Amino acid sequence: MNRIQYPIIPFCLGVFLVLRVSGMATAQQSGYERPPIDYLNAEVHDPVARLADRIKSGDTELQYDSDFGFLRSVLDELDIPVSSQALVFSKTSLQLTRISPRRPRALYFNDDVYVGYCQRGDVLEFASTDAKQGATFYTLEQTDKKQPKFVRDRGGCLSCHASNRTQNVPGYLVRSVFADAAGRPKLGSGTFTTDQTSQFRDRWGGWYVTGKHGTMRHMGNTICVDDEMTFDRETGANEMDLSDRFQTDAYLSPHSDIVALMVLEHQTQMHNAIASANYETRQALHQTYQMNALLERPEDFVSESAQRRIAASTQNVLRHLLMCDEFQLTDQVSGSTSFAVDFEARGPHDGKGRSLREFDLKTRLFKYPCSYLIYSDAFGGLPDEVRSKVLAGLVEILKNKNESDEYAHLTKAMRADILAILRETMPELREMTLAKK
């Protein structure tokens, strides 16, 4: 790689993407570098920022060990399960020289935070979701210090993590690539940004995958063996043991659970949809209020243009929330770890023990296709102008008052079940549905 012409991106969820140094990144960022977003300067209160505050105040002390540095300690502090581990061997991120098929990079995540770990890496990498500002990126030096310091990224990540692949806001993405024996992506052969809508055969190129998936085939566990781009999906199918590929005991877990990977794909773009609606609403209102002053309109007047922007954001969140266009599984999927059990246990559950976290894994990802991120701080942090519209639209769909084709995948039984779960687990929605009776 020409290190003068191309920047390396500090944190990517399985993506190697480089942009020529030009006005491109500036053009992408300019909309949210200014008020009302002020992405690079605004104060944040995401989970990593809160952990940093606890360390600074002396309320918490991270523990260092010679094998994994601060990894175990930060996972405990951030409540991230080891069973979420996903392993990516395509060369990615700031520490790409540390990554290869023999030494993959490990990712761990919960609903709000993603942590990247490289063997013998200089830093741990973090992407953490702030309720107002969205994806926020950090590093933590992997040296034995009494009081390690999280360093917040000030824009370097955004040349990759702010594009149409992240819904044009600072965000997250999972990429599938054709990787060679050294882990270098063959970018000329194409790449895939993946979520729950992606074809199964296009997922996880450059990743390790453990678990069963029957007759379906994916790109994981496989490398391109020659210049002709020979790629055999069969050799990586239904793998449960990765020990012949790399030294698995050098990681917290020997697995890269397929169910965790599927959740990761859904969650990243759901986060982006929420952040996009947040930014778009704040920007639309900011601009219309500026125009109100110029045109001597009432201060709280909302223009038709702003209303259209908010309405479009509402629909985008609803489509992601209800998992529209989800790829239909043609065989059963099962993971190789306790991830599915760990994930479902987080709830919340209704009086019948049902939860939006329950898996289906026979024809789709979740039994009740409505994203659990509706409970997240990010969703709760949406401006009321868009959040109220998303909830109202959701109620209309679940009560069968909106039967448009894009929601045809939701049967009446599914809608009734989702609505019943939300009524018991989300007080605001219960109040809304009762008020509309």
Side-chain angles (χ1 to χ4, degrees):
M1 175 180 293
N2 185 327
R3 297 183 185 274
I4 297 175
Q5 286 186 310
Y6 299 91
I8 304 301
I9 309 305
F11 192 99
C12 298
L13 302 176
V15 54
F16 180 85
L17 179 65
V18 288
L19 300 174
R20 288 189 180 276
V21 177
S22 65
M24 185 183 300
T26 301
Q28 290 173 347
Q29 297 174 21
S30 60
Y32 43 80
E33 285 186 348
R34 300 189 301 267
I37 309 301
D38 194 18
Y39 176 80
L40 298 180
N41 301 304
E43 186 176 356
V44 290
H45 303 279
D46 61 87
V48 171
R50 296 197 297 269
L51 174 57
D53 287 342
R54 296 198 301 274
I55 294 170
K56 186 176 180 180
S57 68
D59 293 338
T60 297
E61 184 175 336
L62 294 181
Q63 303 301 314
Y64 183 91
D65 71 63
S66 57
D67 293 324
F68 298 102
F70 292 111
L71 178 61
R72 291 183 190 272
S73 189
V74 295
L75 294 182
D76 287 343
E77 290 288 342
L78 294 168
D79 192 24
I80 298 175
V82 171
S83 61
S84 68
Q85 178 179 282
L87 298 171
V88 55
F89 62 80
S90 61
K91 290 187 177 295
T92 68
S93 88
L94 177 68
Q95 303 178 91
L96 78 165
T97 59
R98 309 283 190 185
I99 304 167
S100 71
R102 300 297 296 179
R103 191 177 291 170
R105 178 169 173 255
L107 292 170
Y108 306 87
F109 68 97
N110 62 14
D111 293 4
D112 305 299
V113 186
Y114 308 86
V115 179
Y117 164 79
C118 291
Q119 282 190 59
R120 304 174 190 171
D122 298 319
V123 295
L124 293 175
E125 304 163 48
F126 298 82
S128 186
T129 309
D130 182 75
K132 188 173 183 180
Q133 297 297 96
T136 311
F137 303 91
Y138 303 86
T139 55
L140 181 71
E141 190 176 347
Q142 283 277 65
T143 56
D144 189 3
K145 291 183 177 180
K146 289 185 178 180
Q147 193 177 57
K149 183 179 180 181
F150 288 93
V151 178
R152 182 179 169 186
D153 177 75
R154 294 294 178 178
C157 295
L158 300 187
S159 54
C160 174
H161 280 273
S163 70
N164 62 344
R165 296 184 184 275
T166 64
Q167 301 184 45
N168 297 308
V169 293
Y172 313 113
L173 67 160
V174 176
R175 292 286 293 278
S176 179
V177 303
F178 293 87
D180 66 15
R184 293 184 295 261
K186 301 280 190 178
L187 297 178
S189 300
T191 69
F192 307 95
T193 303
T194 54
D195 64 8
Q196 74 273 355
T197 69
S198 300
Q199 294 291 313
F200 205 80
R201 64 175 280 109
D202 294 337
R203 303 187 193 191
W204 309 314
W207 296 76
Y208 285 120
V209 183
T210 54
K212 298 294 185 180
H213 45 85
T215 58
M216 296 185 294
R217 293 295 177 263
H218 55 72
M219 294 173 63
N221 304 326
T222 307
I223 61 173
C224 300
V225 296
D226 54 36
D227 291 338
E228 300 300 320
M229 297 302 298
T230 303
F231 194 84
D232 182 7
R233 288 174 173 81
E234 194 66 35
T235 60
N238 295 300
E239 186 64 80
M240 297 295 285
D241 184 1
L242 300 172
S243 59
D244 61 336
R245 291 174 164 86
F246 63 92
Q247 189 176 344
T248 55
D249 60 6
Y251 295 85
L252 296 181
S253 165
H255 301 277
S256 185
D257 191 297
I258 189 171
V259 180
L261 284 164
M262 292 172 71
V263 171
L264 181 68
E265 290 171 323
H266 160 70
Q267 181 173 296
T268 48
Q269 290 299 332
M270 184 72 245
H271 268 309
N272 294 343
I274 294 170
S276 178
N278 188 317
Y279 279 30
E280 182 73 354
T281 300
R282 288 159 63 195
Q283 289 171 328
L285 293 174
H286 179 74
Q287 290 162 12
T288 197
Y289 294 158
Q290 286 182 317
M291 291 303 298
N292 290 347
L294 292 173
L295 299 176
E296 299 183 350
R297 296 186 303 211
E299 289 184 5
D300 59 352
F301 176 81
V302 180
S303 68
E304 289 186 10
S305 174
Q307 292 181 45
R308 286 195 298 271
R309 292 169 65 180
I310 294 170
S313 293
T314 298
Q315 292 306 310
N316 186 46
V317 172
L318 281 170
R319 287 183 55 79
H320 281 81
L321 198 65
L322 294 172
M323 305 186 78
C324 294
D325 300 324
E326 181 179 8
F327 174 78
Q328 185 170 356
L329 302 177
T330 56
D331 214 329
Q332 184 167 351
V333 171
S334 59
S336 60
T337 73
S338 65
F339 175 81
V341 173
D342 298 341
F343 182 85
E344 289 185 351
R346 288 178 175 248
H349 299 84
D350 70 3
K352 295 181 179 180
R354 298 176 299 185
S355 168
L356 297 184
R357 293 179 183 270
E358 284 186 60
F359 291 106
D360 175 79
L361 300 177
K362 298 180 179 67
T363 60
R364 57 186 177 273
L365 180 55
F366 293 112
K367 183 175 182 178
Y368 307 109
C370 178
S371 179
Y372 55 92
L373 287 186
I374 196 171
Y375 304 115
S376 68
D377 289 344
F379 186 84
L382 283 171
D384 184 64
E385 290 84 356
V386 67
R387 188 171 184 273
S388 61
K389 287 181 170 55
V390 171
L391 290 176
L394 180 61
V395 170
E396 292 293 300
I397 295 165
L398 298 181
K399 286 189 169 183
N400 301 302
K401 295 180 180 179
N402 180 343
E403 298 189 30
S404 60
D405 290 344
E406 60 188 340
Y407 304 114
H409 64 292
L410 299 170
T411 65
K412 289 188 176 182
M414 279 183 193
R415 296 181 194 215
D417 287 340
I418 294 169
L419 184 59
I421 292 168
L422 288 172
R423 277 176 169 160
E424 287 197 42
T425 59
M426 196 172 182
E428 181 182 0
L429 192 137
R430 179 171 64 249
E431 292 173 5
M432 286 181 61
T433 55
L434 292 174
K436 290 190 174 186
K437 281 189 174 181

CSV table of all heavy atoms in Angstrom, one decimal, residues 372-422:
chain,number,residue,atom,x,y,z
A,372,TYR,N,-35.0,-5.2,18.5
A,372,TYR,CA,-34.8,-5.0,19.9
A,372,TYR,C,-34.1,-3.6,20.2
A,372,TYR,O,-34.2,-3.1,21.3
A,372,TYR,CB,-33.9,-6.1,20.5
A,372,TYR,CG,-32.5,-6.2,19.8
A,372,TYR,CD1,-31.4,-5.5,20.2
A,372,TYR,CD2,-32.4,-7.0,18.6
A,372,TYR,CE1,-30.2,-5.6,19.5
A,372,TYR,CE2,-31.2,-7.1,17.9
A,372,TYR,CZ,-30.1,-6.4,18.4
A,372,TYR,OH,-29.0,-6.4,17.7
A,373,LEU,N,-33.6,-3.0,19.2
A,373,LEU,CA,-33.0,-1.7,19.4
A,373,LEU,C,-34.0,-0.6,19.6
A,373,LEU,O,-33.7,0.6,19.9
A,373,LEU,CB,-32.0,-1.3,18.2
A,373,LEU,CG,-30.7,-2.0,18.2
A,373,LEU,CD1,-29.8,-1.5,17.1
A,373,LEU,CD2,-30.0,-2.0,19.5
A,374,ILE,N,-35.3,-1.0,19.5
A,374,ILE,CA,-36.3,0.0,19.9
A,374,ILE,C,-36.2,0.3,21.4
A,374,ILE,O,-36.7,1.4,21.8
A,374,ILE,CB,-37.7,-0.6,19.6
A,374,ILE,CG1,-38.8,0.5,19.6
A,374,ILE,CG2,-38.1,-1.7,20.5
A,374,ILE,CD1,-40.1,0.1,19.1
A,375,TYR,N,-35.6,-0.5,22.2
A,375,TYR,CA,-35.4,-0.3,23.6
A,375,TYR,C,-34.1,0.5,23.9
A,375,TYR,O,-33.8,0.9,25.0
A,375,TYR,CB,-35.3,-1.6,24.4
A,375,TYR,CG,-36.5,-2.5,24.2
A,375,TYR,CD1,-36.3,-3.7,23.6
A,375,TYR,CD2,-37.7,-2.1,24.7
A,375,TYR,CE1,-37.4,-4.6,23.5
A,375,TYR,CE2,-38.8,-3.0,24.6
A,375,TYR,CZ,-38.6,-4.2,24.0
A,375,TYR,OH,-39.7,-5.1,23.9
A,376,SER,N,-33.3,0.8,22.8
A,376,SER,CA,-31.9,1.3,23.0
A,376,SER,C,-32.0,2.8,23.4
A,376,SER,O,-33.0,3.5,23.1
A,376,SER,CB,-31.1,1.2,21.8
A,376,SER,OG,-31.6,2.0,20.7
A,377,ASP,N,-30.9,3.3,24.0
A,377,ASP,CA,-30.7,4.7,24.3
A,377,ASP,C,-30.8,5.5,23.0
A,377,ASP,O,-31.2,6.7,23.0
A,377,ASP,CB,-29.5,5.0,25.1
A,377,ASP,CG,-29.5,4.4,26.5
A,377,ASP,OD1,-30.6,4.2,27.0
A,377,ASP,OD2,-28.4,4.3,27.1
A,378,ALA,N,-30.2,4.9,21.9
A,378,ALA,CA,-30.2,5.7,20.7
A,378,ALA,C,-31.6,5.9,20.1
A,378,ALA,O,-31.9,7.0,19.7
A,378,ALA,CB,-29.4,4.9,19.6
A,379,PHE,N,-32.5,4.9,20.2
A,379,PHE,CA,-33.8,5.1,19.8
A,379,PHE,C,-34.5,6.1,20.7
A,379,PHE,O,-35.3,7.0,20.3
A,379,PHE,CB,-34.6,3.8,19.8
A,379,PHE,CG,-36.0,4.0,19.2
A,379,PHE,CD1,-36.2,3.9,17.8
A,379,PHE,CD2,-37.1,4.1,20.0
A,379,PHE,CE1,-37.5,4.1,17.3
A,379,PHE,CE2,-38.4,4.3,19.5
A,379,PHE,CZ,-38.6,4.3,18.2
A,380,GLY,N,-34.3,6.0,22.0
A,380,GLY,CA,-34.9,6.9,23.0
A,380,GLY,C,-34.4,8.3,22.8
A,380,GLY,O,-35.1,9.3,23.2
A,381,GLY,N,-33.2,8.5,22.3
A,381,GLY,CA,-32.6,9.8,22.1
A,381,GLY,C,-33.0,10.5,20.8
A,381,GLY,O,-32.6,11.6,20.5
A,382,LEU,N,-33.9,9.9,20.0
A,382,LEU,CA,-34.4,10.5,18.8
A,382,LEU,C,-35.2,11.8,19.1
A,382,LEU,O,-35.9,11.8,20.1
A,382,LEU,CB,-35.3,9.6,18.0
A,382,LEU,CG,-34.6,8.5,17.2
A,382,LEU,CD1,-35.7,7.5,16.6
A,382,LEU,CD2,-33.8,9.1,16.0
A,383,PRO,N,-35.0,12.8,18.3
A,383,PRO,CA,-35.9,14.0,18.6
A,383,PRO,C,-37.3,13.6,18.6
A,383,PRO,O,-37.7,12.7,17.8
A,383,PRO,CB,-35.5,14.9,17.4
A,383,PRO,CG,-34.2,14.5,17.0
A,383,PRO,CD,-34.1,13.0,17.2
A,384,ASP,N,-38.1,14.2,19.4
A,384,ASP,CA,-39.5,13.8,19.5
A,384,ASP,C,-40.3,14.0,18.2
A,384,ASP,O,-41.2,13.2,17.9
A,384,ASP,CB,-40.2,14.6,20.6
A,384,ASP,CG,-41.7,14.2,20.8
A,384,ASP,OD1,-41.9,13.0,21.3
A,384,ASP,OD2,-42.6,15.0,20.5
A,385,GLU,N,-39.8,14.9,17.4
A,385,GLU,CA,-40.5,15.2,16.1
A,385,GLU,C,-40.5,13.9,15.2
A,385,GLU,O,-41.4,13.7,14.4
A,385,GLU,CB,-39.9,16.4,15.4
A,385,GLU,CG,-40.2,17.7,16.0
A,385,GLU,CD,-39.2,18.0,17.2
A,385,GLU,OE1,-38.4,17.1,17.5
A,385,GLU,OE2,-39.3,19.1,17.7
A,386,VAL,N,-39.5,13.1,15.3
A,386,VAL,CA,-39.4,11.9,14.5
A,386,VAL,C,-39.8,10.7,15.3
A,386,VAL,O,-40.4,9.8,14.8
A,386,VAL,CB,-38.0,11.8,13.8
A,386,VAL,CG1,-36.9,11.5,14.8
A,386,VAL,CG2,-38.1,10.7,12.7
A,387,ARG,N,-39.4,10.6,16.6
A,387,ARG,CA,-39.6,9.5,17.4
A,387,ARG,C,-41.1,9.2,17.5
A,387,ARG,O,-41.6,8.1,17.4
A,387,ARG,CB,-39.0,9.6,18.8
A,387,ARG,CG,-39.1,8.4,19.6
A,387,ARG,CD,-38.2,8.6,20.9
A,387,ARG,NE,-38.2,7.4,21.7
A,387,ARG,CZ,-39.1,7.1,22.6
A,387,ARG,NH1,-40.1,7.9,22.8
A,387,ARG,NH2,-39.0,6.0,23.3
A,388,SER,N,-41.9,10.3,17.8
A,388,SER,CA,-43.3,10.1,17.9
A,388,SER,C,-44.0,9.6,16.6
A,388,SER,O,-44.9,8.8,16.7
A,388,SER,CB,-44.0,11.5,18.3
A,388,SER,OG,-43.7,12.5,17.3
A,389,LYS,N,-43.4,10.0,15.5
A,389,LYS,CA,-44.0,9.6,14.2
A,389,LYS,C,-43.6,8.1,14.0
A,389,LYS,O,-44.4,7.4,13.4
A,389,LYS,CB,-43.5,10.5,13.1
A,389,LYS,CG,-44.1,11.8,13.1
A,389,LYS,CD,-43.5,12.7,11.9
A,389,LYS,CE,-44.4,14.0,11.7
A,389,LYS,NZ,-44.4,14.8,12.9
A,390,VAL,N,-42.4,7.7,14.4
A,390,VAL,CA,-42.0,6.3,14.2
A,390,VAL,C,-43.0,5.4,15.1
A,390,VAL,O,-43.5,4.4,14.6
A,390,VAL,CB,-40.6,6.1,14.6
A,390,VAL,CG1,-40.3,4.6,14.7
A,390,VAL,CG2,-39.6,6.7,13.6
A,391,LEU,N,-43.2,5.8,16.3
A,391,LEU,CA,-44.0,5.0,17.2
A,391,LEU,C,-45.5,5.0,16.7
A,391,LEU,O,-46.1,3.9,16.7
A,391,LEU,CB,-44.0,5.5,18.6
A,391,LEU,CG,-42.6,5.3,19.3
A,391,LEU,CD1,-42.6,5.9,20.7
A,391,LEU,CD2,-42.3,3.8,19.4
A,392,ALA,N,-46.0,6.1,16.2
A,392,ALA,CA,-47.3,6.2,15.7
A,392,ALA,C,-47.5,5.3,14.5
A,392,ALA,O,-48.5,4.6,14.3
A,392,ALA,CB,-47.7,7.6,15.4
A,393,GLY,N,-46.5,5.4,13.6
A,393,GLY,CA,-46.5,4.5,12.4
A,393,GLY,C,-46.4,3.1,12.7
A,393,GLY,O,-47.1,2.2,12.1
A,394,LEU,N,-45.6,2.7,13.7
A,394,LEU,CA,-45.5,1.4,14.2
A,394,LEU,C,-46.8,0.8,14.7
A,394,LEU,O,-47.2,-0.3,14.3
A,394,LEU,CB,-44.4,1.3,15.2
A,394,LEU,CG,-44.1,-0.1,15.8
A,394,LEU,CD1,-43.6,-1.1,14.8
A,394,LEU,CD2,-43.1,0.0,17.0
A,395,VAL,N,-47.5,1.6,15.5
A,395,VAL,CA,-48.8,1.2,16.0
A,395,VAL,C,-49.8,1.0,14.8
A,395,VAL,O,-50.5,0.0,14.8
A,395,VAL,CB,-49.3,2.2,17.0
A,395,VAL,CG1,-50.8,1.9,17.3
A,395,VAL,CG2,-48.5,2.2,18.2
A,396,GLU,N,-49.8,1.9,13.9
A,396,GLU,CA,-50.7,1.7,12.7
A,396,GLU,C,-50.4,0.4,12.0
A,396,GLU,O,-51.4,-0.3,11.6
A,396,GLU,CB,-50.5,2.9,11.7
A,396,GLU,CG,-50.9,4.2,12.3
A,396,GLU,CD,-52.4,4.3,12.4
A,396,GLU,OE1,-53.1,4.1,11.4
A,396,GLU,OE2,-52.9,4.5,13.6
A,397,ILE,N,-49.1,0.1,11.8
A,397,ILE,CA,-48.8,-1.2,11.1
A,397,ILE,C,-49.2,-2.4,11.9
A,397,ILE,O,-49.8,-3.3,11.4
A,397,ILE,CB,-47.3,-1.2,10.8
A,397,ILE,CG1,-46.9,-0.1,9.8
A,397,ILE,CG2,-46.9,-2.6,10.3
A,397,ILE,CD1,-45.4,0.2,9.8
A,398,LEU,N,-48.9,-2.4,13.2
A,398,LEU,CA,-49.2,-3.5,14.1
A,398,LEU,C,-50.7,-3.7,14.3
A,398,LEU,O,-51.1,-4.8,14.6
A,398,LEU,CB,-48.4,-3.4,15.4
A,398,LEU,CG,-46.9,-3.3,15.3
A,398,LEU,CD1,-46.3,-3.2,16.7
A,398,LEU,CD2,-46.4,-4.6,14.6
A,399,LYS,N,-51.4,-2.6,14.2
A,399,LYS,CA,-52.9,-2.7,14.3
A,399,LYS,C,-53.6,-3.0,13.0
A,399,LYS,O,-54.8,-2.9,12.8
A,399,LYS,CB,-53.5,-1.5,14.9
A,399,LYS,CG,-53.2,-1.3,16.4
A,399,LYS,CD,-54.0,-0.2,17.0
A,399,LYS,CE,-54.0,-0.2,18.5
A,399,LYS,NZ,-54.8,0.9,19.1
A,400,ASN,N,-52.8,-3.3,11.9
A,400,ASN,CA,-53.3,-3.6,10.6
A,400,ASN,C,-54.0,-2.5,9.9
A,400,ASN,O,-54.8,-2.7,9.0
A,400,ASN,CB,-54.2,-4.9,10.7
A,400,ASN,CG,-53.5,-6.1,11.2
A,400,ASN,OD1,-52.5,-6.5,10.7
A,400,ASN,ND2,-54.1,-6.6,12.3
A,401,LYS,N,-53.7,-1.2,10.3
A,401,LYS,CA,-54.2,-0.1,9.7
A,401,LYS,C,-53.3,0.4,8.5
A,401,LYS,O,-53.7,1.3,7.8
A,401,LYS,CB,-54.5,1.0,10.7
A,401,LYS,CG,-55.5,0.7,11.8
A,401,LYS,CD,-55.7,1.8,12.8
A,401,LYS,CE,-56.7,1.4,13.8
A,401,LYS,NZ,-56.9,2.5,14.8
A,402,ASN,N,-52.2,-0.2,8.4
A,402,ASN,CA,-51.3,0.1,7.3
A,402,ASN,C,-50.9,-1.3,6.8
A,402,ASN,O,-50.1,-2.0,7.3
A,402,ASN,CB,-50.0,0.9,7.8
A,402,ASN,CG,-49.0,1.2,6.6
A,402,ASN,OD1,-49.1,0.5,5.6
A,402,ASN,ND2,-48.1,2.1,6.9
A,403,GLU,N,-51.5,-1.6,5.6
A,403,GLU,CA,-51.2,-2.9,5.0
A,403,GLU,C,-50.5,-2.8,3.7
A,403,GLU,O,-50.7,-3.6,2.8
A,403,GLU,CB,-52.5,-3.7,4.9
A,403,GLU,CG,-53.2,-4.0,6.2
A,403,GLU,CD,-54.4,-4.9,6.1
A,403,GLU,OE1,-54.4,-5.8,5.2
A,403,GLU,OE2,-55.3,-4.8,6.9
A,404,SER,N,-49.6,-1.8,3.6
A,404,SER,CA,-48.8,-1.7,2.3
A,404,SER,C,-47.9,-2.9,2.1
A,404,SER,O,-47.6,-3.6,3.0
A,404,SER,CB,-48.0,-0.4,2.4
A,404,SER,OG,-47.1,-0.5,3.5
A,405,ASP,N,-47.6,-3.1,0.9
A,405,ASP,CA,-46.8,-4.3,0.5
A,405,ASP,C,-45.5,-4.4,1.2
A,405,ASP,O,-45.0,-5.5,1.4
A,405,ASP,CB,-46.6,-4.2,-1.1
A,405,ASP,CG,-47.8,-4.4,-1.9
A,405,ASP,OD1,-48.8,-4.9,-1.3
A,405,ASP,OD2,-47.9,-4.1,-3.1
A,406,GLU,N,-44.9,-3.3,1.5
A,406,GLU,CA,-43.5,-3.4,2.2
A,406,GLU,C,-43.6,-4.0,3.5
A,406,GLU,O,-42.6,-4.5,4.0
A,406,GLU,CB,-42.9,-2.0,2.3
A,406,GLU,CG,-43.6,-1.0,3.1
A,406,GLU,CD,-43.0,0.4,3.0
A,406,GLU,OE1,-41.8,0.5,2.6
A,406,GLU,OE2,-43.7,1.4,3.2
A,407,TYR,N,-44.8,-4.1,4.1
A,407,TYR,CA,-44.9,-4.8,5.4
A,407,TYR,C,-45.7,-6.1,5.3
A,407,TYR,O,-46.2,-6.7,6.3
A,407,TYR,CB,-45.6,-3.9,6.4
A,407,TYR,CG,-44.9,-2.6,6.6
A,407,TYR,CD1,-45.5,-1.4,6.2
A,407,TYR,CD2,-43.6,-2.5,7.1
A,407,TYR,CE1,-44.8,-0.1,6.3
A,407,TYR,CE2,-42.9,-1.3,7.2
A,407,TYR,CZ,-43.6,-0.1,6.8
A,407,TYR,OH,-42.9,1.1,7.0
A,408,ALA,N,-45.8,-6.6,4.1
A,408,ALA,CA,-46.6,-7.8,3.8
A,408,ALA,C,-45.9,-9.0,4.5
A,408,ALA,O,-46.6,-10.1,4.7
A,408,ALA,CB,-46.7,-8.1,2.3
A,409,HIS,N,-44.6,-9.0,4.8
A,409,HIS,CA,-44.0,-10.1,5.5
A,409,HIS,C,-44.5,-10.3,6.9
A,409,HIS,O,-44.3,-11.4,7.5
A,409,HIS,CB,-42.5,-9.9,5.5
A,409,HIS,CG,-42.0,-8.7,6.3
A,409,HIS,ND1,-42.3,-7.4,5.9
A,409,HIS,CD2,-41.3,-8.6,7.5
A,409,HIS,CE1,-41.8,-6.6,6.8
A,409,HIS,NE2,-41.2,-7.3,7.8
A,410,LEU,N,-45.2,-9.3,7.4
A,410,LEU,CA,-45.7,-9.4,8.8
A,410,LEU,C,-47.1,-9.9,8.8
A,410,LEU,O,-48.1,-9.3,8.4
A,410,LEU,CB,-45.7,-8.0,9.5
A,410,LEU,CG,-44.3,-7.3,9.6
A,410,LEU,CD1,-44.5,-5.9,10.1
A,410,LEU,CD2,-43.5,-8.1,10.6
A,411,THR,N,-47.3,-11.2,9.2
A,411,THR,CA,-48.7,-11.7,9.2
A,411,THR,C,-49.4,-11.1,10.4
A,411,THR,O,-48.9,-10.4,11.2
A,411,THR,CB,-48.6,-13.2,9.5
A,411,THR,OG1,-48.1,-13.5,10.8
A,411,THR,CG2,-47.7,-14.0,8.5
A,412,LYS,N,-50.8,-11.2,10.3
A,412,LYS,CA,-51.6,-10.6,11.4
A,412,LYS,C,-51.2,-11.2,12.8
A,412,LYS,O,-51.2,-10.5,13.8
A,412,LYS,CB,-53.1,-10.9,11.1
A,412,LYS,CG,-53.6,-10.0,9.9
A,412,LYS,CD,-55.1,-10.1,9.7
A,412,LYS,CE,-55.5,-9.2,8.6
A,412,LYS,NZ,-57.0,-9.3,8.4
A,413,ALA,N,-50.9,-12.5,12.8
A,413,ALA,CA,-50.5,-13.1,14.1
A,413,ALA,C,-49.2,-12.4,14.6
A,413,ALA,O,-49.0,-12.2,15.8
A,413,ALA,CB,-50.3,-14.6,13.9
A,414,MET,N,-48.2,-12.2,13.7
A,414,MET,CA,-46.9,-11.6,14.0
A,414,MET,C,-47.2,-10.2,14.6
A,414,MET,O,-46.6,-9.8,15.6
A,414,MET,CB,-46.0,-11.5,12.8
A,414,MET,CG,-45.2,-12.7,12.5
A,414,MET,SD,-44.2,-12.3,11.1
A,414,MET,CE,-43.7,-13.9,10.6
A,415,ARG,N,-48.0,-9.4,13.9
A,415,ARG,CA,-48.3,-8.1,14.3
A,415,ARG,C,-48.9,-8.0,15.7
A,415,ARG,O,-48.6,-7.2,16.5
A,415,ARG,CB,-49.2,-7.4,13.3
A,415,ARG,CG,-48.6,-7.2,11.9
A,415,ARG,CD,-49.5,-6.6,10.9
A,415,ARG,NE,-49.1,-6.7,9.5
A,415,ARG,CZ,-49.2,-5.8,8.6
A,415,ARG,NH1,-49.8,-4.6,8.9
A,415,ARG,NH2,-48.8,-6.0,7.4
A,416,ALA,N,-49.9,-9.0,15.9
A,416,ALA,CA,-50.5,-9.0,17.2
A,416,ALA,C,-49.5,-9.4,18.3
A,416,ALA,O,-49.6,-8.8,19.4
A,416,ALA,CB,-51.7,-10.0,17.2
A,417,ASP,N,-48.6,-10.3,18.0
A,417,ASP,CA,-47.6,-10.7,19.0
A,417,ASP,C,-46.7,-9.6,19.3
A,417,ASP,O,-46.3,-9.3,20.5
A,417,ASP,CB,-46.9,-11.9,18.5
A,417,ASP,CG,-47.7,-13.2,18.6
A,417,ASP,OD1,-48.7,-13.3,19.3
A,417,ASP,OD2,-47.3,-14.2,17.8
A,418,ILE,N,-46.2,-8.9,18.3
A,418,ILE,CA,-45.2,-7.8,18.5
A,418,ILE,C,-45.9,-6.7,19.3
A,418,ILE,O,-45.3,-6.2,20.2
A,418,ILE,CB,-44.7,-7.3,17.1
A,418,ILE,CG1,-43.9,-8.4,16.4
A,418,ILE,CG2,-43.9,-6.0,17.4
A,418,ILE,CD1,-43.5,-8.0,15.0
A,419,LEU,N,-47.1,-6.4,18.9
A,419,LEU,CA,-47.8,-5.3,19.6
A,419,LEU,C,-48.0,-5.7,21.1
A,419,LEU,O,-47.8,-4.8,22.0
A,419,LEU,CB,-49.2,-5.0,19.0
A,419,LEU,CG,-50.0,-3.9,19.6
A,419,LEU,CD1,-49.2,-2.6,19.5
A,419,LEU,CD2,-51.3,-3.7,18.8
A,420,ALA,N,-48.4,-6.9,21.4
A,420,ALA,CA,-48.6,-7.4,22.8
A,420,ALA,C,-47.3,-7.3,23.6
A,420,ALA,O,-47.3,-6.9,24.7
A,420,ALA,CB,-49.1,-8.8,22.8
A,421,ILE,N,-46.2,-7.7,22.9
A,421,ILE,CA,-44.9,-7.7,23.6
A,421,ILE,C,-44.5,-6.2,23.9
A,421,ILE,O,-44.1,-5.9,25.1
A,421,ILE,CB,-43.8,-8.3,22.8
A,421,ILE,CG1,-44.0,-9.8,22.6
A,421,ILE,CG2,-42.4,-8.0,23.3
A,421,ILE,CD1,-43.2,-10.5,21.6
A,422,LEU,N,-44.7,-5.3,23.0
A,422,LEU,CA,-44.3,-3.9,23.2
A,422,LEU,C,-45.2,-3.3,24.2
A,422,LEU,O,-44.8,-2.4,25.0
A,422,LEU,CB,-44.4,-3.2,21.8
A,422,LEU,CG,-43.2,-3.5,20.9
A,422,LEU,CD1,-43.5,-2.9,19.5
A,422,LEU,CD2,-41.9,-3.0,21.4
